[in-house]
Amino acid sequence: MGARSNKPRTKADRLRFERELDPTLDGLYRTALRLCGDPTRAEDIVQDAALKAWRFFDTFEDGTNFKAWIHRVLYTAFVNTTRDRTPRTAPLDQVPEPGEVEKSLLAELERPNHSARERAVLEAVDERIKAAVMELPEDLRLVFMLNTLEGLKYREIAAVMNCPLGTVMSRLFRSRRMLQDRLAEYAHEVGYTVNLEEVEP
Amino acid sequence: MKCQDLRRYLEPWLDDELSLETQLTILPHLENCSHCRALFESETRIRSRLQDALSAEVAPQRLRARIHSSLDARGVQALEPRIRFWPAARRTLVVGATAALVFFGTIHFESARDPSAPEASAAQSPVIPPLRPRKTLQHQLETLPASTREAPRERLLDFLWRSHVSDLAIANALLGADGANDAGLLATRFEAHDWLRPWIEGLDGQDLRVFRSNPLDLDRLALCTLERLTTTAGLHFTLQQSGETEFLCVAAEGEVFVVLAKAARSLLSFFERLEGR
């Protein structure tokens, strides 16, 4: 984000900004909530992001995806408020390169446990799913939310997180598999019969 | 395409990250391979379940109020009362526009219109701002290889039915297919999809919002229709966009027709007449 914009704002600007902002607020709040885990703090982050976005609204290019743009503002706001906190991101050396991602994805999909994973996810209660998402490392959690909930494209997520496209793909892949593994563990704990090594018919 | 290829593409495909051309190479395999289809459906169900669980939370009303009052305090004051009604006014405008057939040039559907359909009042006072072409879609369609253009439309429609976008498939059938076959197709599907009956019965009152809201599905829609039109009537089918609204357009006999969803039945009749010549 560049220097503070001093361009005067008109009522038309404000109207346009609100028209863009309002439909994204639920998604911004959900993303912030999943990032910080605290509803009150999530509200503060969203408000901060909205005001920053208004300040720099003249840098938003018409015809581009406002949702992606403001999520980038939101992520910056979140990072700024957590500078003094211990980072909860996954070490980058654990993130495979794109070539490895394809191989592992293929291997994963070919493992004979897919139906078991599906049952585990379908049987999990909402609160447990939310908890499993919160257990993901922060960067995996964010990429998962931006893709699955907000529908952002890979390149848009890469812009939000300021990382390469291949990193987005690998994080997305890992987040889904980790989530399904954790829900399978949960299903097993509460008594569902979910054997991840079972063979499909 | 082999199972291994499809699985490599599965997640990017569900993320809408594949080109139209690649998607069309996947469809035939998916139709013929029960194992890959089961995997596809399983992945779809997992995603749907996760979305349901995580999308329930919404921004509290107090947060919205806080943001708006903070914006008021930062330069531009609160919106004037008449502008506050903008969302409702815009809705009215859109509904009004959607309730009519809007054409550039002459309206050719008059004789083909369903007699039970309401009159198109908005046609007399156009409210649609200038259109701009969706270049990416046109480019995609123009660069499709010949073999892809010739993909059987029924295969695409059937795929749509099985990929949890049934409403799109129905609309596709009505918009892009030949009448007799698709009436039969819909009747068959009705038996297994009772929950869709209200949607079908209310179809006259539907607009194109489903298509407008998802460019990928617009692509699919256009593609299904394109296949038929280019092979049977020699027409060129495109999509254009104005603001938030997208339109199906077809060029015929030197004129461009802009067609909204409510025109679906008339459009179908129009195509049938055209092909009957």
Side-chain angles (χ1 to χ4, degrees):
Chain A
M1 198 68 57
R4 176 186 180 130
S5 171
N6 292 315
K7 186 179 174 184
R9 296 289 193 277
T10 64
K11 286 183 180 177
D13 290 335
R14 167 74 180 271
L15 183 62
R16 195 164 64 92
F17 179 71
E18 288 183 332
R19 272 168 41 203
E20 297 279 10
L21 175 70
D22 283 348
T24 67
L25 278 177
D26 288 340
L28 290 170
Y29 176 71
R30 280 192 290 266
T31 304
L33 186 58
R34 292 280 96 74
L35 277 172
C36 70
D38 174 7
T40 304
R41 199 169 148 232
E43 287 186 38
D44 291 342
I45 293 169
V46 173
Q47 183 178 4
D48 188 26
L51 295 181
K52 279 190 172 66
W54 169 239
R55 241 172 79 189
F56 294 101
F57 189 47
D58 58 318
T59 67
F60 169 67
E61 292 178 28
D62 270 344
T64 59
N65 188 341
F66 180 84
K67 187 196 278 188
W69 181 77
I70 198 167
H71 268 87
R72 183 171 188 178
V73 178
L74 178 91
Y75 185 53
T76 306
F78 169 73
V79 169
N80 288 341
T81 63
T82 52
R83 248 179 211 154
D84 54 342
R85 298 173 189 226
T86 307
R88 289 175 291 164
T89 56
L92 284 179
D93 58 5
Q94 289 182 11
V95 178
E97 291 302 310
E100 295 175 54
V101 171
E102 287 194 351
K103 288 178 194 167
S104 56
L105 170 61
L106 207 55
E108 187 68 33
L109 288 173
E110 285 178 346
R111 278 171 61 183
N113 59 11
H114 203 271
S115 64
R117 285 172 186 278
E118 182 192 336
R119 284 209 307 279
V121 175
L122 298 184
E123 288 165 356
V125 296
D126 287 4
E127 289 311 311
R128 183 56 216 181
I129 289 175
K130 289 175 190 169
V133 171
M134 289 305 293
E135 288 167 10
L136 295 173
E138 182 184 292
D139 45 6
L140 301 193
R141 200 184 325 145
L142 179 60
V143 83
F144 174 80
M145 291 294 293
L146 293 179
N147 175 273
T148 306
L149 268 289
E150 301 310 315
L152 296 193
K153 310 295 281 184
Y154 294 169
R155 67 175 183 284
E156 293 169 339
I157 298 172
V160 169
M161 302 183 73
N162 194 25
C163 68
L165 200 62
T167 304
V168 170
M169 294 168 68
S170 61
R171 287 178 182 174
L172 191 54
F173 165 74
R174 290 183 60 218
S175 66
R176 286 178 176 144
R177 291 301 163 265
M178 287 176 71
L179 195 54
Q180 290 176 25
D181 281 344
R182 289 180 187 199
L183 291 172
E185 288 167 13
Y186 159 75
H188 181 71
E189 285 167 14
V190 297
Y192 291 115
T193 306
V194 178
N195 177 8
L196 288 182
E197 299 307 320
E198 72 183 12
V199 177
E200 288 179 339
Chain B
M1 174 169 290
K2 298 175 181 174
C3 293
Q4 195 178 37
D5 299 323
L6 185 134
R7 290 167 192 209
R8 185 158 57 91
Y9 286 129
L10 183 58
E11 296 222 352
W13 186 26
L14 290 170
D15 290 332
D16 282 356
E17 294 284 349
L18 295 184
S19 71
L20 202 58
E21 185 179 345
T22 307
Q23 291 180 53
L24 287 171
T25 63
I26 288 174
L27 299 185
H29 176 84
L30 200 66
E31 181 168 2
N32 295 321
C33 176
S34 59
H35 194 66
C36 286
R37 197 161 59 241
L39 192 63
F40 166 81
E41 288 166 355
S42 173
E43 278 291 323
T44 305
R45 283 191 293 269
I46 288 174
R47 287 175 183 228
S48 175
R49 175 71 186 96
L50 293 174
Q51 285 169 345
D52 286 347
L54 295 166
S55 61
E57 289 136 335
V58 295
Q61 202 53 45
R62 64 175 176 277
L63 172 60
R64 293 176 183 272
R66 273 170 58 190
I67 290 172
H68 286 285
S69 64
S70 299
L71 289 173
D72 288 343
R74 300 220 172 183
V76 176
Q77 296 305 305
L79 302 175
E80 294 170 1
R82 66 181 178 82
I83 301 180
R84 282 188 183 279
F85 290 115
W86 165 249
R90 189 179 62 167
R91 267 200 304 278
T92 304
L93 193 67
V94 170
V95 169
T98 314
L101 304 178
V102 182
F103 305 106
F104 284 119
T106 310
I107 299 176
H108 280 236
F109 291 165
E110 289 298 326
S111 60
R113 182 176 296 152
D114 181 346
S116 64
E119 287 298 312
S121 58
Q124 296 167 354
S125 53
V127 291
I128 308 300
L131 301 176
R132 59 185 170 84
R134 295 182 67 226
K135 290 179 182 173
T136 52
L137 173 67
Q138 285 177 332
H139 177 73
Q140 283 182 323
L141 294 176
E142 285 163 6
T143 55
L144 284 176
S147 59
T148 309
R149 286 176 188 267
E150 292 162 8
R153 190 188 51 74
E154 286 74 15
R155 185 177 291 172
L156 293 176
L157 283 178
D158 196 46
F159 167 74
L160 288 166
W161 272 100
R162 284 191 279 99
S163 52
H164 309 281
V165 284
S166 302
D167 50 349
L168 291 174
I170 294 166
N172 269 319
L174 287 172
L175 275 169
D178 88 54
N181 285 347
D182 288 310
L185 175 67
L186 288 175
T188 305
R189 305 295 186 184
F190 265 34
E191 299 302 319
H193 297 276
D194 243 351
W195 57 276
L196 284 172
R197 192 180 295 276
W199 195 97
I200 299 292
E201 289 171 348
L203 195 62
D204 274 342
Q206 293 290 324
D207 58 28
L208 257 185
R209 63 180 180 275
V210 176
F211 301 124
R212 285 200 304 266
S213 66
N214 189 333
L216 178 66
D217 292 323
L218 276 168
D219 290 353
R220 284 176 178 157
L221 172 70
L223 195 77
C224 291
T225 313
L226 177 81
E227 185 271 331
R228 176 170 177 265
L229 295 180
T230 51
T231 54
T232 59
L235 299 180
H236 186 57
F237 202 83
T238 61
L239 293 167
Q240 294 191 350
Q241 184 170 16
S242 173
E244 296 178 353
T245 307
E246 288 183 294
F247 302 87
L248 299 169
C249 301
V250 58
E253 299 176 344
E255 293 179 283
V256 176
F257 300 90
V258 179
V259 186
L260 298 182
K262 236 185 159 184
R265 292 179 193 280
S266 296
L267 180 62
L268 185 61
S269 302
F270 171 70
F271 291 149
E272 285 169 348
R273 278 196 307 136
L274 202 66
E275 287 170 11
R277 288 181 186 178

